[in-house]
Amino acid sequence: MYCSTCGTENPATNNYCLNDGTILKPDKGKFSIHASPAATFCSGCGSSVSAKDNYCLACGSTLHSYQKTAFVKDGLKPASTGTAIKSFSIPKINITILKPAIISSIIGLVLVLILSFGLLQMNTQAVKTAFSQDTDVNITYLIESLREQTGMDLPEPGAIIGLTDMMMMSHLVSAELDANMDSFDEKYNISIKLSFGLVFILLIPAIALFVSGIVHRNMTGDENPYSLLYGAASTAILYGILLAILSLFSGFSYDVKNATPKFLLDVSTSYSFFGAFLKGTMIAFLFSMLGMLFSLNYRRVTGHLRDMFPFGDALHQGISTFFRGFIIFSVVMIFIVQNTFKKIALFAGEFSDAEYLTNLMDKSFSFILAIGTQLGALIWNLASFGSFTASTTEGMDVSTMSYSMLSGLQTSGDELGSEIQLALAMTDIGLYIKFAALVLVGLFVWSGYSLSKNGMASIKSLAVYSLVYSILFALFTYFAKIQFIGEAPEHGGPGVIEMMIGFGSFAAFLKAFIFAFLCAYAGTFIRKWRS
C-alpha cells in the first residue's frame, strides 16, 4: 500500500502512513455509541428505567443512540480550535446586527472619497497641461469653436471629471454620455457608453474596504467563519446601496438654450445605478472579507482559511496565487515603464495627436503607475495563453487586431499592423510574456507543492484551488476590459461605432483553470520526489 501524499510504501496492516501520517484507510462505515441524557422512562414503552440501565427491562429497547463516526479524508480536514466552525444560522435583521455593517460601509465610502480626492487633486494639473493642446478631446476648445461658429457667448463648462466621477471610475462603473445639439435647423444626437478598465484606480476601494473590514470585525469580535461571511455580505450590500445612490448625483452636465438664433446644446454624463450597486457590492465583499481575516491576528490574511472551511488550504492558495500574480506583474511592469520612459515619450512624440500622452507621463508619476499596472494585467493574460483583442466597428467597416503568445500578431481591416509591430519591437513584449509564463508556472507549482506538503494533494483539492484562482482571474479580466460604444446619425441613418480592447472572460477562465491545475499537479509530484 502506497501513501497518496508522499508515495511511501506501507504494510497492508497500516492505517496511517509511517512517513507523514496521512490516513490510508478512511473509516467510512463504523458507528459509535452515544449515551443519552439520564432517562427516567423508556421511549419505546414508557416503563420506568434506571440511569444505570442500557436497555429497557420491559421491552428491551436501547436507551442509547448510535451515530456514524465522522472520518477524515484528503480535502476535509477538521477545523482547529479557536476558529472552529460552529453551527450558524442567519440572524434576524435588527439594528444591533446591522450597526457594525452600517458603520463599516460608511467608513469605507468616506475613505474612498478621501483617496479619490487626493488622486484627483494630484492629477488635476497634469490633466490640464496635457489637454491644453489644440485637440478635439479638449472640451474648452470645443466650446470656443462653437462660440466662433454661432457668435454666442456660451458659458464656461464645469469640470468634466469631478470627485464623484472619480469614485465611480475607481469601481469601474460604466459611464454614459448623451449629447444633443439643435443649431440652424440641424440636429445632432450622440450617445456614448464607455466602460473603464483602469486597474490602478481599483486600488482606491480595495484599500478603503480592507480597512472597513478590519473595523467591522473589531466591533463584533467575531471569529466564527460564517459570522465573518455574514458580516462581509451585509457590509457589501449596504456599501453597494450607498454607491448606487451616489451614482445618481454623479456625472457632468452642460445645458445651453437660446431662442435667437435658435441654438440648443445639452451634454450630460451619467452612471448605471444597477452597475454601481453590483460592482460596489462585489468589490466590497471581497476586500472587506480580506480585512476581517487580517484582523484576526494582523499577521495572516487568507492563511486563516486553512482552519475555517473544508478545502481551506486550497482556498487560501488560490486567492494568494491571484494576488501574488497581480503584485509581481504590476511591480515589474511599473519598473519597466519607468525605465523605458524616454522610448515611450519619443514614440508618442512622433504623432501630433499624442502630445497629450507625453505631457501626462512627464507631469504625473501616478500616470506611470496606471500604465504599469495596466500593462501588468496585459502581460499576465498573455502569459496565461490569452488572446488580446482590439476591434473597431464603424458602419460596415470592421477592423481587428489580436495578439497571443502562440499565434503572434494578426491584423485585418486597417493599416495598424506596421505601427503595432514597431510598438511591440520597442517594448520586447515577446520576451516579457515568456518570462511571465515562467513566473506563473513557478507560482502554480509552488501552490501544488504546498498543498501536498499539508496533506491536500487530492484531485478535488487541486480542482478547488484552480477554480478559485480562475474565477478571480476571469473577473479581473472582465473588469480590466475597455469598451466604447457610440451612436450618431450618419448620412440620414443611425451610425454605430464600437471599440473593444481586452480579453474574453470565459476563455480566460478556461485557460487559467487548465494551466493552474496542470502546474499545481506537477508540484505535488515534486513534493513526493523530495520526500
Side-chain angles (χ1 to χ4, degrees):
M1 182 181 300
Y2 294 89
C3 174
S4 61
T5 300
C6 66
T8 302
E9 186 176 3
N10 290 267
T13 55
N14 281 22
N15 291 323
Y16 297 89
C17 176
L18 54 84
N19 179 51
D20 61 6
T22 299
I23 190 169
L24 301 175
K25 298 178 181 178
D27 188 357
K28 299 182 179 181
K30 299 295 181 65
F31 291 83
S32 60
I33 187 169
H34 292 266
S36 303
T40 306
F41 299 95
C42 173
S43 61
C45 66
S47 300
S48 177
V49 295
S50 169
K52 299 179 179 180
D53 295 338
N54 291 326
Y55 296 90
C56 175
L57 300 178
C59 67
S61 298
T62 181
L63 300 179
H64 303 288
S65 62
Y66 292 86
Q67 295 180 3
K68 193 172 183 178
T69 51
F71 63 94
V72 179
K73 67 177 182 179
D74 188 21
L76 291 171
K77 299 174 69 175
S80 66
T81 57
T83 56
I85 296 177
K86 304 173 183 178
S87 59
F88 175 77
S89 60
I90 298 178
K92 295 181 180 179
I93 298 177
N94 56 61
I95 191 62
T96 303
I97 297 295
L98 289 180
K99 182 179 178 180
I102 294 173
I103 293 175
S104 59
S105 61
I106 292 176
I107 289 176
L109 193 65
V110 171
L111 288 176
V112 168
L113 187 147
I114 294 173
L115 294 174
S116 299
F117 178 78
L119 183 63
L120 186 64
Q121 290 298 111
M122 186 170 55
N123 291 280
T124 296
Q125 188 59 41
V127 172
K128 286 182 178 179
T129 302
F131 290 101
S132 64
Q133 306 297 320
D134 193 21
T135 61
D136 292 339
V137 296
N138 189 348
I139 187 67
T140 304
Y141 168 77
L142 295 177
I143 298 301
E144 185 64 33
S145 298
L146 288 174
R147 286 173 181 164
E148 295 177 358
Q149 295 176 13
T150 61
M152 294 185 298
D153 185 17
L154 301 178
E156 288 290 336
I160 301 177
I161 300 178
L163 179 58
T164 54
D165 297 282
M166 181 64 71
M167 295 176 69
M168 293 297 112
M169 292 170 61
S170 68
H171 293 81
L172 310 179
V173 181
S174 301
E176 298 180 6
L177 182 145
D178 292 307
N180 301 296
M181 187 173 72
D182 187 352
S183 175
F184 307 106
D185 297 327
E186 293 186 3
K187 295 183 179 180
Y188 301 91
N189 301 305
I190 300 175
S191 178
I192 297 174
K193 182 177 180 180
L194 179 61
S195 298
F196 302 99
L198 302 178
V199 178
F200 171 67
I201 56 178
L202 185 60
L203 295 176
I204 292 177
I207 295 172
L209 291 163
F210 188 86
V211 173
S212 72
I214 295 175
V215 172
H216 185 284
R217 207 212 63 87
N218 285 334
M219 291 181 64
T220 61
D222 286 330
E223 293 187 2
N224 183 288
Y226 293 114
S227 296
L228 296 180
L229 284 174
Y230 177 81
S234 56
T235 299
I237 293 174
L238 291 173
Y239 181 86
I241 293 174
L242 292 175
L243 189 69
I245 294 174
L246 183 65
S247 69
L248 300 176
F249 303 93
S250 304
F252 167 81
S253 180
Y254 185 78
D255 188 7
V256 177
K257 294 181 181 179
N258 193 65
T260 306
K262 182 181 178 181
F263 182 81
L264 182 147
L265 176 63
D266 182 13
V267 180
S268 63
T269 59
S270 60
Y271 298 89
S272 168
F273 179 88
F274 179 75
F277 171 76
L278 182 62
K279 292 184 178 180
T281 301
M282 293 174 62
I283 294 172
F285 177 79
L286 174 61
F287 290 103
S288 63
M289 185 65 186
L290 293 178
M292 293 179 188
L293 292 172
F294 177 70
S295 66
L296 289 174
N297 62 7
Y298 296 98
R299 291 193 301 271
R300 297 187 298 170
V301 183
T302 57
H304 297 290
L305 297 174
R306 292 191 182 102
D307 303 322
M308 288 184 168
F309 300 104
F311 299 101
D313 200 16
L315 294 173
H316 158 64
Q317 292 294 340
I319 298 173
S320 297
T321 301
F322 172 79
F323 283 103
R324 288 167 186 160
F326 172 76
I327 293 173
I328 291 173
F329 293 123
S330 296
V331 170
V332 170
M333 291 311 300
I334 289 171
F335 177 79
I336 291 174
V337 168
Q338 188 177 20
N339 283 270
T340 57
F341 169 73
K342 292 183 179 180
K343 290 183 179 180
I344 298 175
L346 180 63
F347 176 73
E350 295 178 0
F351 304 93
S352 59
D353 292 337
E355 292 182 4
Y356 65 89
L357 179 63
T358 306
N359 291 330
L360 273 177
M361 298 182 69
D362 190 32
K363 298 292 183 179
S364 175
F365 179 72
S366 62
F367 186 71
I368 295 178
L369 297 180
I371 293 294
T373 53
Q374 206 70 23
L375 288 177
L378 172 67
I379 297 296
W380 190 5
N381 270 277
L382 290 173
S384 301
F385 300 96
S387 178
F388 174 77
T389 302
S391 63
T392 59
T393 303
E394 184 174 359
M396 300 298 294
D397 298 328
V398 180
S399 301
T400 60
M401 186 277 291
S402 63
Y403 182 88
S404 68
M405 182 167 57
L406 299 178
S407 61
L409 177 67
Q410 296 180 344
T411 60
S412 64
D414 59 14
E415 298 179 355
L416 293 176
S418 58
E419 297 177 359
I420 295 174
Q421 290 277 16
L422 176 61
L424 294 178
M426 292 181 65
T427 56
D428 294 326
I429 191 171
L431 179 62
Y432 298 153
I433 295 173
K434 294 175 183 177
F435 171 76
L438 292 177
V439 172
L440 281 178
V441 170
L443 290 174
F444 296 147
V445 169
W446 172 254
S447 295
Y449 180 89
S450 299
L451 288 172
S452 179
K453 184 178 180 181
N454 295 328
M456 301 277 288
S458 69
I459 296 298
K460 288 183 179 180
S461 295
L462 296 177
V464 170
Y465 160 75
S466 304
L467 183 65
V468 171
Y469 170 81
S470 57
I471 289 176
L472 291 174
F473 184 74
L475 289 174
F476 178 78
T477 300
Y478 173 76
F479 285 143
K481 183 165 50 178
I482 298 176
Q483 189 170 17
F484 172 93
I485 301 176
E487 297 182 7
E490 182 182 4
H491 304 298
V496 178
I497 300 175
E498 297 184 17
M499 181 181 69
M500 192 279 291
I501 301 175
F503 297 82
S505 302
F506 184 70
F509 169 80
L510 289 179
K511 293 176 181 178
F513 181 87
I514 296 172
F515 192 13
F517 184 87
L518 293 177
C519 292
Y521 190 64
T524 62
F525 280 99
I526 295 177
R527 163 64 181 171
K528 293 178 181 179
W529 174 73
R530 290 196 50 154
S531 300

